[in-house]
Amino acid sequence: PATEPELQHPESQRMDMTTHNGPHWQIDLPSDWTLRDNSDGVAYFEAADGSAGLYIAVWDTHITDRPVAEVLDDFVAGSVQGQDNIPGSSWSRQVTRLEESDWILDAVWADQQHRILTRYIAGLPLVLSASFHDYQFSSVAASNARFGPSLESIWLLYDQ
């Protein structure tokens, strides 16, 4: 059975954060992260030094009659397939179900020093996907310290 990744780290408490909002989502990111692209419903933020990035989007699946777990299984499978389609890639992965509608896919390609930590939050028919990319991955602890506060700050917002 998967265990919940420990995302908090004392160093992360010292980060200066800025709140960003998009259609149906809200997240706190380190203040040196900027929006680099916002097309096709996907926002891409990047750290000032280019060592990390975040792709965030909310998808309207139009699905209301399937169990949430089945829908999230499909999202995880799509991410895994996309990762496996990268030529020469070799990923180690773990899926953590924080709640029935809140999952994390942790994928590490150690040879390339690349980690993708994706949080999926479902409130059908909406599914939020937030993929943090650590382009200079050296350790889980360091990566968690960097991404933990942002990963925990994500909100899926609904129309009132």
Side-chain angles (χ1 to χ4, degrees):
T3 59
E4 182 175 337
E6 291 189 26
L7 300 174
Q8 299 249 351
H9 191 277
E11 292 176 16
S12 65
Q13 304 295 326
R14 292 184 232 134
M15 281 189 219
D16 184 25
M17 306 292 275
T18 301
T19 301
H20 298 271
N21 295 286
H24 301 290
W25 57 263
Q26 179 177 308
I27 189 170
D28 295 333
L29 292 171
S31 294
D32 72 332
W33 287 48
T34 57
L35 181 65
R36 299 285 187 198
D37 188 23
N38 192 8
S39 55
D40 299 321
V42 179
Y44 176 69
F45 293 87
E46 192 171 81
D49 65 2
S51 65
L54 164 70
Y55 294 89
I56 187 168
V58 172
W59 309 103
D60 186 347
T61 66
H62 302 287
I63 298 170
T64 57
D65 59 347
R66 288 179 53 205
V68 169
E70 285 182 14
V71 176
L72 290 180
D73 271 335
D74 290 346
F75 271 80
V76 169
S79 293
V80 167
Q81 182 179 11
Q83 293 165 1
D84 286 345
N85 285 341
I86 299 171
S89 66
S90 177
W91 298 90
S92 61
R93 297 183 187 94
Q94 177 178 332
V95 175
T96 302
R97 296 177 185 198
L98 304 174
E99 295 179 18
E100 179 184 15
S101 61
D102 191 351
W103 295 14
I104 293 177
L105 170 62
D106 190 353
V108 175
W109 183 1
D111 292 347
Q112 295 296 315
Q113 297 179 311
H114 193 161
R115 181 186 193 200
I116 304 173
L117 193 59
T118 304
R119 184 169 179 190
Y120 303 95
I121 302 173
L124 296 180
L126 302 178
V127 176
L128 178 144
S129 171
S131 295
F132 293 86
H133 289 250
D134 187 342
Y135 302 123
Q136 297 175 357
F137 174 74
S138 60
S139 74
V140 170
S143 193
N144 284 352
R146 182 172 208 178
F147 296 143
S150 295
L151 194 72
E152 293 172 357
S153 76
I154 300 169
W155 286 91
L156 173 61
L157 306 174
Y158 303 91
D159 290 335
Q160 300 298 325

